[in-house]
Amino acid sequence: MPKFLNNIDLNSNQLLSPVIHVSSQSTITNGPAGDATGTEGQIFYNSHANGKALFFRDDSGWRPIGDISGVTAGAGLSGGGTGGAVSLAIDISEFSDVTPANGDKLLTLDSDGSTEQLTTIASLATLFAGAGLTDSSSVMAVGQGNGITVNANDVAVTAAQTTITSVLNASLVIGRDADNDIDFGTDNNIIFRAGASDQIVLKDGALEPVTDDDVDLGSGSKQFKNGYFDGTLETDVLTINGTNVLSGGIVTTLGTISQDAVTFTSGTASKPLFTLQNTANDATGAILKFNKNRNADAQDSDVLGEIEFWGYDDGTPSVQQYGEIICKVADASDEAEGGRMDFSVAEHDGTLTRGLSIIDGNADGEIDITLGAGANSIVTATGDLIVTGDLTVSGDTTTVNTATLNVEDKNITLNYHASSDTSSSAGGAGITIQDAVNSSTDATILWDATNDEFDFSHAINVTGAITASGTITGNLTGNVTGNLIIGGHTVNDIDIGSEFNDTDDHLMSSGAIKEKIESYSYLTSVNNSNWSGTDLSVANGGTGASTLTDGGILLGSGTGAITAMAVLADGEMIVGDGTTDPVAESGATLRTSIGVGTGDTPKFTGLDLGNATDATITRAAAKHLQIEGATIATSKTFRLNDDEDSDNNVSSNNNGAASTVFTITHGMVESRNYRVEVMDVSDYSTVYADVTRPSNTTIVITFASNVALNAYDAMVTYCGEHGA
């Protein structure tokens, strides 16, 4: 069984369903297992038939808990017993009836309850006799006054008493019984009591119920006629003539109005005026909130709020709606909620028509807007109109009335979607320029889709130079009256045939080029059969070598000829040093070059696993490795003995003798994250003691009492760092 070698602190937690140590001892002076000594404070249950009881050890020996042989009732008492729950009661039968006399005494306690004392009947009468009462021979009497008669059995007040002008009493109560009265006993308070409970209290400046929300002022059948208030009327619910006007306990605001319709009217110009004002010293403002609550899931097209604008036309007065603003649910799907705002006005026939719609799109970050209604609708922007996205015009005619048209794009597409038109009319896309003088002479630049060429309706007059920075593909016909510049050179003629001259500004024909090359005996092609030169140099794109090693790895040499390494032997690797040519290595030489170490077993100072961003297997400390930054758990076992004559790294608080405290200097990874288990070396069972970790290098094990040296082992295991 577990051995606890130190005190156990349950930290005020309950010890549920415990069983005290049970031992059968026929001798009452013996403790468990016949131990007559024990430890002071130790307890056990003696199950022997001679006397089953719970025993404890005090400074004098073992004795049963609750060691009382019996309780006997004395004079004036009854009850008692010898075990279990014992009770005593006053036995009234022991006393006789007697009439108290003036000199009789009563047993009392003083005011602080610390001292018993005897008091005479006369003293009590004097004590209780206050204003209006007198005592004589221990008898109290009430004095007579105006309108008051003292009788043998009562004190009477004369009917229709007029001589009593005031009653001043700190504890005056008026009523028919204790359930219904008026209490003047509290300073500056008059309490009205009914139905066995205090109802109303009148105090300085206030008439209020004793209990909050308990007393009604009037009732449904008994109402006050008029009410007059000079100040603020505070209420949770205000009902006027059966109609709930205000609710929610709101004083300065309306709160919730449960009405189908509320109308504000005024005959004053610019009135009624409905103002929402926020006076908070922050960046927020007033809010006009519309809330649609189905008490169920919302549906698409639910109307959330509506603002309507009505007036009269010039008819017999006839009410007319001139505009409205409506907000709807566009999409009620969870995680895809979208809204819609519609702005409508009356069109030319009085029909209410939507002219502006703002609606959610099909993706996050998209809001779609629709302007106008019908083909005759006109949208006018009196200022600048900036379109940051694409502009699509779907009408038949687009008119641009502007002095300057700037198009940033380098390309304009005409006849868009023509690829889907296979008719003969697919061609003919182009530009028409109206003649301001004669419309019959409008100029066109049209694309001939049949012949894949542009057609110009009028002559092209080039008054300046035509500069081609790229390639002109196709035929150039007609006369060039200006300069033709190609590649920065002005061309003024063409050399044909033998007219080739490399000093003029003429273009060369292919015949002229061929003739000139052949006249200088230039080669027109090179192949293995007609090449007779030396090895082509590296500077001219060659290798500079006639042959290369079959299977060899090529090595560059600046402008010198490319060389080839010998074919690698089995197990060889190419190793470079960053300055000279790489070499082939194997065996110990290779291991030395790549930092593996020597011998038959490879030794790595670090080993990368996985991607370059992954952690490595590293040496954290002597005999400890880390994988991906976490130290692999390491363990040591320490014999709890004195370190004076050993290298066990354990010291005690009592050199060379039994000790209670053992300090371990573990010599492992510096950390406090160590698991410690203490084991009895005699039977290899786990025992329990206090374990603390005062530093990253030491562990302290503390027992409640001295334990023998070399009796226990401490097994210490490193558990890694938090989050590693």
Side-chain angles (χ1 to χ4, degrees):
M1 65 182 67
K3 301 176 183 178
F4 293 87
L5 303 186
N6 211 334
N7 301 321
I8 300 175
D9 184 2
L10 296 180
N11 196 27
S12 300
N13 294 312
Q14 299 182 50
L15 182 63
L16 302 179
S17 303
V19 176
I20 301 297
H21 185 184
V22 179
S23 180
S24 179
Q25 301 296 322
S26 60
T27 304
I28 194 173
T29 58
N30 286 345
D35 180 15
T37 303
T39 301
E40 188 172 354
Q42 185 178 353
I43 60 175
F44 83 100
Y45 177 74
N46 191 352
S47 61
H48 197 274
N50 288 348
K52 297 186 177 188
L54 188 64
F55 283 76
F56 75 97
R57 181 66 167 84
D58 62 9
D59 57 352
S60 60
W62 293 98
R63 63 187 184 90
I65 297 176
D67 188 12
I68 300 176
S69 60
V71 177
T72 303
L77 299 175
S78 64
T82 58
V86 178
S87 62
L88 295 172
I90 297 176
D91 189 359
I92 304 298
S93 63
E94 293 287 335
F95 303 94
S96 59
D97 295 332
V98 65
T99 300
N102 184 35
D104 290 347
K105 296 182 179 181
L106 300 175
L107 180 63
T108 63
L109 290 175
D110 62 3
S111 58
D112 62 4
S114 62
T115 304
E116 299 87 353
Q117 54 194 10
L118 295 176
T119 303
T120 63
I121 300 296
S123 297
L124 290 177
T126 302
L127 175 65
F128 294 148
L133 295 176
T134 61
D135 72 286
S136 177
S137 300
S138 305
V139 178
M140 288 183 292
V142 178
Q144 298 186 154
N146 293 332
I148 299 177
T149 302
V150 179
N151 302 313
N153 298 315
D154 59 27
V155 178
V157 179
T158 304
Q161 178 55 242
T162 60
T163 59
I164 301 176
T165 58
S166 67
V167 177
L168 298 176
N169 192 300
S171 60
L172 179 63
V173 176
I174 301 174
R176 66 183 297 272
D177 53 33
D179 295 337
N180 303 275
D181 58 42
I182 304 174
D183 186 357
F184 299 86
T186 303
D187 189 27
N188 294 322
N189 284 264
I190 301 176
I191 301 173
F192 297 84
R193 182 179 180 87
S197 63
D198 295 343
Q199 301 289 332
I200 300 293
V201 57
L202 176 62
K203 55 177 66 175
D204 186 14
L207 177 66
E208 62 186 30
V210 174
T211 304
D212 183 45
D213 196 21
D214 182 54
V215 180
D216 295 334
L217 183 62
S219 66
S221 61
K222 302 292 183 180
Q223 301 178 358
F224 288 91
K225 183 176 182 180
N226 296 311
Y228 301 90
F229 300 89
D230 185 11
T232 301
L233 176 62
E234 296 188 8
T235 180
D236 294 334
V237 178
L238 178 61
T239 301
I240 300 178
N241 198 25
T243 301
N244 187 8
V245 179
L246 300 175
S247 64
I250 308 298
V251 177
T252 59
T253 62
L254 294 179
T256 301
I257 302 178
S258 300
Q259 293 293 113
D260 293 336
V262 178
T263 302
F264 299 90
T265 61
S266 175
T268 305
S270 300
K271 301 293 188 296
L273 176 66
F274 188 73
T275 301
L276 300 178
Q277 182 177 359
N278 184 300
T279 60
N281 187 17
D282 54 25
T284 64
I287 297 173
L288 181 62
K289 183 176 180 180
F290 296 84
N291 186 10
K292 170 65 176 178
N293 184 2
R294 279 176 171 261
N295 290 317
D297 293 340
Q299 303 295 319
D300 293 351
S301 299
D302 279 357
V303 176
L304 305 178
E306 182 175 350
I307 300 177
E308 298 182 353
F309 302 87
W310 292 78
Y312 287 94
D313 55 23
D314 64 355
T316 314
S318 170
V319 69
Q320 170 67 41
Q321 185 176 3
Y322 287 92
E324 75 178 7
I325 302 172
I326 297 179
C327 181
K328 298 180 179 180
V329 176
D331 191 344
S333 303
D334 189 25
E335 303 294 337
E337 297 87 351
R340 177 186 182 117
M341 293 283 292
D342 290 334
F343 296 78
S344 303
V345 298
E347 60 176 275
H348 207 59
D349 62 354
T351 303
L352 199 66
T353 303
R354 183 173 62 248
L356 169 62
S357 292
I358 306 173
I359 188 171
D360 79 318
N362 297 321
D364 292 342
E366 177 186 353
I367 298 294
D368 299 332
I369 299 177
T370 301
L371 294 174
N376 296 326
S377 297
I378 299 174
V379 179
T380 303
T382 59
D384 295 338
L385 177 62
I386 299 175
V387 181
T388 59
D390 297 334
L391 176 64
T392 300
V393 181
S394 301
D396 295 332
T397 302
T398 300
T399 302
V400 181
N401 296 318
T402 182
T404 304
L405 177 63
N406 296 322
V407 180
E408 181 179 346
D409 201 316
K410 296 182 289 185
N411 184 278
I412 299 176
T413 301
L414 304 178
N415 199 29
Y416 187 61
H417 293 309
S419 59
S420 60
D421 187 358
T422 58
S423 66
S424 60
S425 62
I431 300 174
T432 298
I433 304 172
Q434 290 188 350
D435 193 319
V437 179
N438 186 355
S439 60
S440 62
T441 61
D442 291 348
T444 59
I445 303 174
L446 301 178
W447 173 252
D448 186 349
T450 303
N451 298 315
D452 289 342
E453 62 184 20
F454 280 103
D455 293 336
F456 294 83
S457 63
H458 292 67
I460 300 175
N461 182 19
V462 181
T463 60
I466 298 177
T467 303
S469 59
T471 301
I472 299 177
T473 302
N475 299 324
L476 182 62
T477 60
N479 297 322
V480 180
T481 59
N483 295 325
L484 179 62
I485 301 174
I486 301 176
H489 298 279
T490 301
V491 180
N492 54 35
D493 205 349
I494 298 176
D495 286 333
I496 302 174
S498 60
E499 297 178 2
F500 176 81
N501 187 346
D502 60 359
T503 62
D504 58 16
D505 295 326
H506 299 169
L507 289 174
M508 297 170 55
S509 68
S510 60
I513 295 172
K514 183 175 180 299
E515 180 180 347
K516 190 67 174 178
I517 292 176
E518 291 177 346
S519 67
Y520 282 94
S521 300
Y522 290 159
L523 292 175
T524 58
S525 64
V526 178
N527 53 49
N528 292 332
S529 63
N530 57 28
W531 177 260
S532 60
T534 59
D535 299 333
L536 187 61
S537 67
V538 174
N540 292 323
T543 63
S546 302
T547 62
L548 296 171
T549 302
D550 185 16
I553 297 176
L554 301 182
L555 299 176
S557 183
T559 59
I562 294 175
T563 61
M565 297 177 59
V567 178
L568 297 181
D570 186 16
E572 284 188 325
M573 295 177 62
I574 297 177
V575 180
D577 60 4
T579 57
T580 60
D581 290 344
V583 296
E585 294 181 349
S586 64
T589 303
L590 175 62
R591 291 195 296 272
T592 300
S593 297
I594 64 177
V596 175
T598 61
D600 297 332
T601 303
K603 299 178 181 178
F604 298 90
T605 58
L607 180 63
D608 290 333
L609 299 177
N611 300 323
T613 57
D614 291 342
T616 61
I617 297 178
T618 58
R619 181 176 181 271
K623 303 179 181 180
H624 304 294
L625 296 178
Q626 284 186 339
I627 299 180
E628 297 185 0
T631 301
I632 300 175
T634 57
S635 301
K636 280 187 178 181
T637 299
F638 300 86
R639 180 62 53 85
L640 301 186
N641 61 357
D642 185 18
D643 195 37
E644 291 294 325
D645 300 317
S646 70
D647 57 357
N648 196 36
N649 297 332
V650 180
S651 60
S652 69
N653 65 327
N654 193 9
N655 283 337
S659 300
T660 59
V661 180
F662 297 86
T663 301
I664 299 174
T665 305
H666 50 73
M668 296 189 286
V669 178
E670 291 192 4
S671 174
R672 303 193 188 200
N673 297 343
Y674 283 91
R675 181 172 60 247
V676 179
E677 181 178 357
V678 181
M679 179 182 70
D680 190 330
V681 298
S682 64
D683 58 5
Y684 306 102
S685 62
T686 296
V687 301
Y688 299 91
D690 286 343
V691 178
T692 59
R693 302 158 181 84
S695 73
N696 288 344
T697 59
T698 57
I699 296 171
V700 176
I701 299 175
T702 304
F703 299 90
S705 58
N706 286 334
V707 297
L709 301 177
N710 295 305
Y712 300 96
D713 281 349
M715 296 174 288
V716 180
T717 302
Y718 176 64
C719 299
E721 301 305 309
H722 175 72

